[in-house]
């Protein structure tokens, strides 16, 4: 082979390699990868900004599931993950850092839904689309919103509790433990709870907006209500599993019977409490559904597409998924038979007997 032929062969090899790298980034959001990006998305970056560490789901579920789906869609794209640990100012810094690193999209679960408006404006001024995740940004519309239907969640957990109390012929009142006052999703859950509790016939004894969703703060507040209302409390509507767990801890610390208490998020600890009979219900909202949907939408935006919402909330194109209420009666079917949870992770130690009684194995 002469020198000219060698140069021609080398150039052809480089062209093939370059084409292979570009093809590694998948095409549409509905695909599992592959195809020409056509928009300079090779090595593109996307930010995934989560709000707190109080809920274990963000580190254990949302992050790995979002990253896995993005890797399917674009193997050589980079996910910049940050958790603000309940600090709105820290989340602002994380968003600024992501923009400085040249991200092509931001997926954000806001610490403070009002403060996040600044992040949305800043990103959009740089032509970077923002996908609100789990919690909306009411003041300034993001480019898209993906979540389970939070108002529906509130009404479902509360109605489930009310129906149970009526079936048990309970007489007394209810405590309502809401989520963070700076979280717009918590406001939607709160609205949903009231839609079931207010007309229920059970007196709402008191309610509390839990700062930063902290279980310890919910426990402290419930402890005070136990002292005040004593055996008048026949149920507690808690907005998530963390505040539900804090409420349960308050009753146990007071040495009194734990009434039916709700939750939301289907955390492992909540499943264990339901199996043990300490927590009445939770909400199964498989994080895989919203995490993968967020990755799909982010990838569309990163390719210059503009996905249409299936509904609209706060003037934002949205996709809202409907969850499932979980009680002891359907825990096996919803959480374990479906593969969402594994018995080996839940049915440990003191919970093994309860799992056996429910046929969970």
């Amino acid at each position: 082979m002469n020198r000219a032929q060698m140069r021609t062969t080398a150039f052809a090899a480089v062209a093939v390699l370059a084409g292979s790298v570009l093809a590694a980034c998948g095409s549409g959001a509905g695909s599992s990868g592959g195809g020409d990006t056509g928009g300079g998305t090779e090595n593109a970056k996307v930010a995934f900004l989560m709000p707190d560490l109080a809920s274990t789901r963000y580190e254990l579920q949302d992050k790995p599931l979002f990253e896995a789906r993005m890797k399917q869609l674009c193997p050589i794209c980079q996910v910049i993950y940050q958790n603000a640990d309940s600090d709105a100012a820290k989340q602002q810094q994380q968003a600024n850092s992501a923009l400085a690193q040249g991200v092509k999209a931001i997926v954000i679960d806001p610490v403070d839904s009002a403060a996040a408006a600044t992040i949305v404006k800043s990103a959009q001024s740089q032509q970077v689309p923002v996908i609100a995740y789990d919690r909306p940004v009411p003041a300034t519309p993001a480019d898209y919103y993906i979540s389970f239907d939070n108002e529906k969640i509130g009404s479902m957990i509360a109605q489930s509790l009310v129906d149970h109390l009526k079936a048990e012929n309970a007489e007394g009142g209810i405590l309502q433990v809401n989520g963070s006052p700076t979280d717009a999703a918590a406001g939607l859950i709160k609205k949903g709870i009231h839609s079931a509790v207010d007309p229920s016939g059970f007196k709402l004894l008191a309610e509390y907006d839990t700062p930063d969703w902290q279980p310890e703060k919910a426990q402290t507040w419930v402890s005070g209500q136990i002292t005040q209302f004593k055996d008048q409390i026949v149920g507690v509507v808690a907005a998530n599993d963390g505040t539900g767990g804090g409420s349960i801890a308050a009753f146990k610390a007071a040495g009194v019977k734990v009434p039916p208490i709700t939750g939301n998020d289907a955390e492992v600890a909540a499943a264990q409490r339901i199996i043990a009979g300490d927590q009445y219900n939770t909400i199964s909202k498989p994080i895989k559904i919203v995490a993968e949907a967020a990755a799909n939408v982010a990838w569309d935006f990163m390719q210059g597409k503009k996905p249409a919402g299936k509904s609209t909330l706060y003037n934002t194109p949205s996709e809202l998924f409907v969850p499932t209420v979980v009680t002891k009666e359907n825990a096996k079917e919803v959480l374990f038979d479906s593969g969402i949870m594994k018995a080996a992770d839940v049915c440990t130690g003191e919970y093994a007997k309860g799992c056996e009684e429910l046929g969970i194995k």
Side-chain angles (χ1 to χ4, degrees):
M1 183 182 295
N2 60 36
R3 188 170 298 174
Q5 289 173 320
M6 291 174 66
R7 282 198 300 269
T8 300
T9 301
F11 289 146
V14 169
V16 170
L17 177 60
S20 299
V21 170
L22 288 173
C25 279
S27 54
S31 72
S32 59
D36 182 16
T37 65
T41 51
E42 62 275 13
N43 299 311
K45 299 173 183 176
V46 55
F48 192 64
L49 309 179
M50 295 295 100
D52 63 63
L53 297 170
S55 298
T56 60
R57 52 168 283 197
Y58 299 115
E59 301 289 315
L60 299 180
Q61 297 183 67
D62 298 78
K63 173 182 180 287
L65 289 167
F66 180 84
E67 289 177 336
R69 180 56 179 159
M70 279 305 306
K71 188 171 184 179
Q72 287 180 330
L73 296 169
C74 181
I76 58 173
C77 287
Q78 179 185 351
V79 175
I80 298 175
Y81 171 74
Q82 296 287 343
N83 190 303
D85 195 15
S86 302
D87 186 334
K90 184 176 182 180
Q91 190 168 63
Q92 176 73 65
Q93 293 169 358
Q94 291 169 344
N96 292 342
S97 174
L99 289 169
Q101 294 178 64
V103 296
K104 288 187 172 289
I106 290 178
V107 179
I108 182 170
D109 193 336
V111 172
D112 184 318
S113 295
T118 302
I119 295 174
V120 174
K121 290 176 183 177
S122 178
Q124 291 175 342
S125 71
Q126 299 178 49
Q127 288 74 55
V128 175
V130 177
I131 299 99
Y133 179 83
D134 196 35
R135 305 174 184 178
V137 184
T140 300
D143 296 274
Y144 208 92
Y145 174 48
I146 289 178
S147 177
F148 281 93
D149 188 330
N150 287 297
E151 187 172 339
K152 187 73 172 176
I153 287 171
S155 66
M156 289 172 74
I157 58 174
Q159 192 61 57
S160 170
L161 178 71
V162 166
D163 291 346
H164 174 69
L165 294 177
K166 288 183 176 180
E168 295 293 315
N169 296 314
E171 295 183 3
I174 292 173
L175 296 179
Q176 182 171 328
V177 186
N178 304 312
S180 172
T182 63
D183 176 357
L188 292 170
I189 294 172
K190 178 178 179 177
K191 182 179 178 183
I193 291 172
H194 274 290
S195 73
V197 171
D198 292 353
S200 69
F202 292 100
K203 182 179 180 181
L204 179 59
L205 299 172
E207 69 176 299
Y208 175 65
D209 294 340
T210 311
D212 299 325
W213 293 91
Q214 289 293 332
E216 298 81 5
K217 293 177 180 178
Q219 180 177 348
T220 299
W221 181 79
V222 172
S223 294
Q225 307 314 301
I226 294 170
T227 300
Q228 181 176 350
F229 295 108
K230 300 181 175 61
D231 57 3
Q232 293 182 55
I233 304 168
V234 294
V236 179
V237 184
N240 77 341
D241 290 333
T243 54
S247 301
I248 290 167
F251 283 94
K252 290 193 170 186
V256 297
K257 182 181 177 181
V258 179
I261 294 175
T262 72
N264 158 36
D265 282 340
E267 295 181 349
V268 167
Q272 291 174 327
R273 290 192 295 266
I274 288 173
I275 289 166
D278 289 331
Q279 184 168 320
Y280 177 66
N281 71 23
T282 188
I283 283 284
S284 174
K285 45 182 187 182
I287 304 304
K288 183 176 171 59
I289 293 175
V290 288
E292 292 191 348
N296 293 341
V297 170
W299 179 233
D300 274 348
F301 277 119
M302 291 163 73
Q303 296 176 97
K305 301 175 184 178
K306 190 172 183 179
K310 296 184 179 180
S311 61
T312 302
L313 185 66
Y314 296 118
N315 296 316
T316 305
S318 305
E319 186 167 11
L320 304 176
F321 299 94
V322 178
T324 304
V325 175
V326 180
T327 64
K328 184 179 283 191
E329 284 67 33
N330 67 349
K332 176 180 181 295
E333 174 188 358
V334 176
L335 298 181
F336 297 92
D337 293 350
S338 65
I340 293 174
M341 290 186 181
K342 296 179 180 178
D345 297 328
V346 178
C347 303
T348 58
E350 62 186 291
Y351 305 106
K353 183 179 179 182
C355 285
E356 185 178 351
E357 291 174 352
L358 296 176
I360 300 170
K361 52 188 175 182

